[in-house]
Short mmCIF file of all heavy atoms in Angstrom, two decimals:
data_model
loop_
_atom_site.label_atom_id
_atom_site.label_comp_id
_atom_site.label_asym_id
_atom_site.label_seq_id
_atom_site.Cartn_x
_atom_site.Cartn_y
_atom_site.Cartn_z
N LYS A 524 0.85 -1.19 0.00
CA LYS A 524 0.00 0.00 0.00
C LYS A 524 0.88 1.24 0.00
O LYS A 524 2.01 1.22 0.46
CB LYS A 524 -0.91 0.03 1.24
CG LYS A 524 -1.75 -1.22 1.42
CD LYS A 524 -2.75 -1.42 0.33
CE LYS A 524 -3.54 -2.70 0.56
NZ LYS A 524 -4.36 -3.09 -0.59
N GLU A 525 0.35 2.31 -0.53
CA GLU A 525 1.11 3.55 -0.58
C GLU A 525 0.44 4.59 0.31
O GLU A 525 -0.79 4.71 0.32
CB GLU A 525 1.18 4.06 -2.02
CG GLU A 525 1.91 3.09 -2.95
CD GLU A 525 1.87 3.53 -4.41
OE1 GLU A 525 1.08 4.47 -4.73
OE2 GLU A 525 2.60 2.96 -5.21
N PRO A 526 1.23 5.43 1.03
CA PRO A 526 2.69 5.35 1.11
C PRO A 526 3.14 4.29 2.12
O PRO A 526 2.43 4.01 3.06
CB PRO A 526 3.07 6.75 1.59
CG PRO A 526 1.91 7.17 2.43
CD PRO A 526 0.68 6.57 1.77
N VAL A 527 4.32 3.74 1.89
CA VAL A 527 4.88 2.76 2.82
C VAL A 527 5.44 3.49 4.03
O VAL A 527 6.11 4.51 3.90
CB VAL A 527 5.99 1.92 2.14
CG1 VAL A 527 6.61 0.95 3.13
CG2 VAL A 527 5.41 1.18 0.94
N LYS A 528 5.16 2.96 5.21
CA LYS A 528 5.62 3.59 6.45
C LYS A 528 7.14 3.62 6.51
O LYS A 528 7.81 2.65 6.18
CB LYS A 528 5.07 2.81 7.65
CG LYS A 528 5.44 3.39 9.00
CD LYS A 528 4.79 2.57 10.12
CE LYS A 528 5.16 3.09 11.48
NZ LYS A 528 4.52 2.31 12.57
N LYS A 529 7.71 4.77 6.91
CA LYS A 529 9.15 4.89 7.07
C LYS A 529 9.59 4.20 8.36
O LYS A 529 8.90 4.27 9.36
CB LYS A 529 9.56 6.37 7.10
CG LYS A 529 9.32 7.09 5.77
CD LYS A 529 9.79 8.53 5.85
CE LYS A 529 9.57 9.24 4.52
NZ LYS A 529 10.01 10.66 4.57
N PHE A 530 10.73 3.54 8.29
CA PHE A 530 11.21 2.82 9.47
C PHE A 530 12.73 2.70 9.43
O PHE A 530 13.35 2.89 8.38
CB PHE A 530 10.59 1.41 9.54
CG PHE A 530 10.79 0.60 8.29
CD1 PHE A 530 11.94 -0.16 8.10
CD2 PHE A 530 9.82 0.60 7.29
CE1 PHE A 530 12.13 -0.91 6.95
CE2 PHE A 530 10.01 -0.15 6.13
CZ PHE A 530 11.16 -0.90 5.97
N GLU A 531 13.32 2.43 10.59
CA GLU A 531 14.76 2.24 10.67
C GLU A 531 15.14 0.88 10.08
O GLU A 531 14.41 -0.10 10.22
CB GLU A 531 15.22 2.32 12.13
CG GLU A 531 15.00 3.68 12.76
CD GLU A 531 15.45 3.70 14.21
OE1 GLU A 531 16.02 2.69 14.68
OE2 GLU A 531 15.25 4.73 14.87
N LYS A 532 16.28 0.82 9.43
CA LYS A 532 16.71 -0.43 8.80
C LYS A 532 16.86 -1.56 9.81
O LYS A 532 16.66 -2.73 9.47
CB LYS A 532 18.03 -0.21 8.06
CG LYS A 532 17.88 0.65 6.80
CD LYS A 532 19.19 0.76 6.04
CE LYS A 532 19.00 1.58 4.76
NZ LYS A 532 20.27 1.70 4.00
N SER A 533 17.21 -1.21 11.04
CA SER A 533 17.38 -2.24 12.08
C SER A 533 16.07 -2.97 12.37
O SER A 533 16.07 -4.11 12.84
CB SER A 533 17.91 -1.61 13.37
OG SER A 533 17.01 -0.61 13.85
N ALA A 534 14.94 -2.31 12.07
CA ALA A 534 13.63 -2.91 12.33
C ALA A 534 13.29 -3.99 11.31
O ALA A 534 12.32 -4.73 11.49
CB ALA A 534 12.54 -1.83 12.33
N LEU A 535 14.09 -4.11 10.24
CA LEU A 535 13.82 -5.11 9.21
C LEU A 535 13.94 -6.53 9.74
O LEU A 535 13.43 -7.46 9.12
CB LEU A 535 14.79 -4.93 8.03
CG LEU A 535 14.44 -3.83 7.03
CD1 LEU A 535 15.56 -3.65 6.02
CD2 LEU A 535 13.13 -4.14 6.31
N ILE A 536 14.59 -6.70 10.89
CA ILE A 536 14.71 -8.03 11.48
C ILE A 536 13.33 -8.62 11.78
O ILE A 536 13.13 -9.84 11.70
CB ILE A 536 15.57 -7.99 12.77
CG1 ILE A 536 15.85 -9.40 13.29
CG2 ILE A 536 14.92 -7.14 13.84
CD1 ILE A 536 16.67 -10.25 12.38
N LEU A 537 12.35 -7.77 12.10
CA LEU A 537 11.01 -8.25 12.44
C LEU A 537 10.31 -8.90 11.25
O LEU A 537 9.87 -10.05 11.36
CB LEU A 537 10.18 -7.11 13.02
CG LEU A 537 10.59 -6.64 14.42
CD1 LEU A 537 9.85 -5.37 14.80
CD2 LEU A 537 10.33 -7.73 15.45
N PRO A 538 10.19 -8.22 10.08
CA PRO A 538 9.57 -8.91 8.94
C PRO A 538 10.36 -10.12 8.47
O PRO A 538 9.79 -11.08 7.94
CB PRO A 538 9.48 -7.83 7.86
CG PRO A 538 10.40 -6.76 8.28
CD PRO A 538 10.45 -6.80 9.78
N VAL A 539 11.69 -10.09 8.65
CA VAL A 539 12.50 -11.27 8.29
C VAL A 539 12.12 -12.46 9.18
O VAL A 539 11.95 -13.58 8.69
CB VAL A 539 14.01 -10.95 8.44
CG1 VAL A 539 14.83 -12.24 8.33
CG2 VAL A 539 14.46 -9.98 7.37
N LEU A 540 11.95 -12.21 10.48
CA LEU A 540 11.54 -13.27 11.40
C LEU A 540 10.12 -13.75 11.08
O LEU A 540 9.84 -14.95 11.19
CB LEU A 540 11.62 -12.77 12.85
CG LEU A 540 13.02 -12.55 13.41
CD1 LEU A 540 12.96 -11.91 14.79
CD2 LEU A 540 13.81 -13.86 13.47
N VAL A 541 9.24 -12.83 10.70
CA VAL A 541 7.88 -13.21 10.30
C VAL A 541 7.92 -14.09 9.06
O VAL A 541 7.23 -15.12 8.98
CB VAL A 541 7.02 -11.95 10.02
CG1 VAL A 541 5.71 -12.34 9.33
CG2 VAL A 541 6.72 -11.21 11.32
N PHE A 542 8.75 -13.71 8.08
CA PHE A 542 8.92 -14.49 6.85
C PHE A 542 9.39 -15.90 7.18
O PHE A 542 8.81 -16.89 6.70
CB PHE A 542 9.93 -13.77 5.96
CG PHE A 542 10.36 -14.55 4.74
CD1 PHE A 542 9.59 -14.55 3.59
CD2 PHE A 542 11.54 -15.30 4.75
CE1 PHE A 542 9.98 -15.27 2.46
CE2 PHE A 542 11.93 -16.02 3.63
CZ PHE A 542 11.15 -16.00 2.49
N LEU A 543 10.44 -16.01 7.99
CA LEU A 543 10.99 -17.32 8.34
C LEU A 543 10.01 -18.14 9.18
O LEU A 543 9.81 -19.33 8.92
CB LEU A 543 12.31 -17.15 9.11
CG LEU A 543 13.49 -16.57 8.32
CD1 LEU A 543 14.66 -16.29 9.25
CD2 LEU A 543 13.89 -17.51 7.20
N GLY A 544 9.37 -17.49 10.17
CA GLY A 544 8.43 -18.19 11.04
C GLY A 544 7.23 -18.73 10.29
O GLY A 544 6.83 -19.89 10.47
N SER A 545 6.65 -17.91 9.42
CA SER A 545 5.48 -18.33 8.64
C SER A 545 5.85 -19.48 7.70
O SER A 545 5.08 -20.44 7.54
CB SER A 545 4.93 -17.15 7.83
OG SER A 545 4.52 -16.10 8.67
N GLY A 546 7.02 -19.36 7.07
CA GLY A 546 7.46 -20.42 6.16
C GLY A 546 7.74 -21.73 6.88
O GLY A 546 7.40 -22.81 6.39
N ILE A 547 8.33 -21.63 8.07
CA ILE A 547 8.62 -22.84 8.87
C ILE A 547 7.32 -23.51 9.31
O ILE A 547 7.22 -24.75 9.31
CB ILE A 547 9.48 -22.47 10.10
CG1 ILE A 547 10.89 -22.10 9.64
CG2 ILE A 547 9.54 -23.62 11.10
CD1 ILE A 547 11.76 -21.50 10.73
N ILE A 548 6.31 -22.73 9.66
CA ILE A 548 5.01 -23.30 10.06
C ILE A 548 4.42 -24.11 8.91
O ILE A 548 3.99 -25.26 9.09
CB ILE A 548 4.03 -22.19 10.50
CG1 ILE A 548 4.42 -21.67 11.88
CG2 ILE A 548 2.59 -22.71 10.52
CD1 ILE A 548 3.61 -20.48 12.34
N ASP A 549 4.38 -23.53 7.70
CA ASP A 549 3.82 -24.23 6.54
C ASP A 549 4.62 -25.48 6.21
O ASP A 549 4.05 -26.55 5.94
CB ASP A 549 3.79 -23.29 5.33
CG ASP A 549 2.64 -22.30 5.40
OD1 ASP A 549 1.72 -22.50 6.23
OD2 ASP A 549 2.65 -21.32 4.64
N ALA A 550 5.95 -25.35 6.23
CA ALA A 550 6.80 -26.50 5.91
C ALA A 550 6.65 -27.60 6.96
O ALA A 550 6.64 -28.79 6.63
CB ALA A 550 8.27 -26.05 5.82
N SER A 551 6.51 -27.21 8.22
CA SER A 551 6.34 -28.19 9.30
C SER A 551 5.01 -28.92 9.18
O SER A 551 4.94 -30.13 9.43
CB SER A 551 6.42 -27.49 10.67
OG SER A 551 7.68 -26.87 10.84
N LEU A 552 3.97 -28.19 8.82
CA LEU A 552 2.66 -28.82 8.60
C LEU A 552 2.77 -29.92 7.55
O LEU A 552 2.25 -31.02 7.73
CB LEU A 552 1.63 -27.78 8.16
CG LEU A 552 0.93 -26.97 9.24
CD1 LEU A 552 0.06 -25.90 8.60
CD2 LEU A 552 0.09 -27.86 10.13
N LYS A 553 3.46 -29.61 6.46
CA LYS A 553 3.63 -30.59 5.39
C LYS A 553 4.44 -31.79 5.86
O LYS A 553 4.08 -32.94 5.59
CB LYS A 553 4.31 -29.93 4.18
CG LYS A 553 4.74 -30.91 3.09
CD LYS A 553 3.56 -31.69 2.52
CE LYS A 553 4.03 -32.72 1.49
NZ LYS A 553 2.93 -33.59 1.03
N TYR A 554 5.52 -31.52 6.60
CA TYR A 554 6.39 -32.62 7.06
C TYR A 554 5.65 -33.56 8.00
O TYR A 554 5.69 -34.78 7.83
CB TYR A 554 7.63 -32.04 7.76
CG TYR A 554 8.51 -33.12 8.34
CD1 TYR A 554 9.36 -33.86 7.53
CD2 TYR A 554 8.48 -33.41 9.71
CE1 TYR A 554 10.16 -34.87 8.06
CE2 TYR A 554 9.28 -34.40 10.24
CZ TYR A 554 10.12 -35.13 9.42
OH TYR A 554 10.90 -36.13 9.95
N ILE A 555 4.97 -32.98 9.00
CA ILE A 555 4.25 -33.81 9.98
C ILE A 555 3.13 -34.58 9.30
O ILE A 555 2.89 -35.75 9.56
CB ILE A 555 3.70 -32.94 11.12
CG1 ILE A 555 4.87 -32.31 11.90
CG2 ILE A 555 2.85 -33.78 12.08
CD1 ILE A 555 4.45 -31.29 12.93
N GLN A 556 2.43 -33.89 8.38
CA GLN A 556 1.33 -34.53 7.66
C GLN A 556 1.83 -35.67 6.78
O GLN A 556 1.22 -36.74 6.68
CB GLN A 556 0.60 -33.48 6.81
CG GLN A 556 -0.53 -34.01 5.96
CD GLN A 556 -0.11 -34.21 4.50
OE1 GLN A 556 1.01 -33.92 4.11
NE2 GLN A 556 -1.02 -34.75 3.73
N GLU A 557 2.99 -35.47 6.15
CA GLU A 557 3.55 -36.45 5.22
C GLU A 557 4.10 -37.68 5.95
O GLU A 557 3.91 -38.81 5.50
CB GLU A 557 4.69 -35.79 4.42
CG GLU A 557 5.34 -36.69 3.40
CD GLU A 557 4.55 -36.81 2.12
OE1 GLU A 557 3.69 -35.96 1.85
OE2 GLU A 557 4.78 -37.79 1.40
N ILE A 558 4.74 -37.44 7.08
CA ILE A 558 5.48 -38.51 7.76
C ILE A 558 4.65 -39.25 8.81
O ILE A 558 4.72 -40.46 8.93
CB ILE A 558 6.77 -37.96 8.42
CG1 ILE A 558 7.64 -37.24 7.38
CG2 ILE A 558 7.55 -39.07 9.11
CD1 ILE A 558 8.11 -38.11 6.25
N HIS A 559 3.83 -38.51 9.57
CA HIS A 559 3.29 -39.08 10.80
C HIS A 559 1.77 -39.24 10.87
O HIS A 559 1.29 -40.05 11.64
CB HIS A 559 3.71 -38.20 11.99
CG HIS A 559 5.19 -38.23 12.25
ND1 HIS A 559 5.89 -39.37 12.55
CD2 HIS A 559 6.09 -37.21 12.25
CE1 HIS A 559 7.16 -39.07 12.73
NE2 HIS A 559 7.32 -37.77 12.55
#
């Protein structure tokens, strides 16, 4: 959406963690469903 909120570069760690966490959840669902 425009305009994008201005933020400090150090705060980018939060969306990176969200990206990794969300991806791990989906991948884990598939792994547990596939194996167990």
Side-chain angles (χ1 to χ4, degrees):
K524 306 295 179 191
E525 298 175 348
V527 177
K528 182 178 179 179
K529 293 182 180 180
F530 54 86
E531 296 179 4
K532 289 184 178 180
S533 59
L535 280 173
I536 187 65
L537 289 171
V539 169
L540 290 174
V541 169
F542 172 83
L543 293 173
S545 299
I547 290 170
I548 285 174
D549 283 346
S551 299
L552 276 175
K553 170 60 183 174
Y554 176 78
I555 296 172
Q556 178 260 357
E557 181 80 19
I558 304 299
H559 294 300

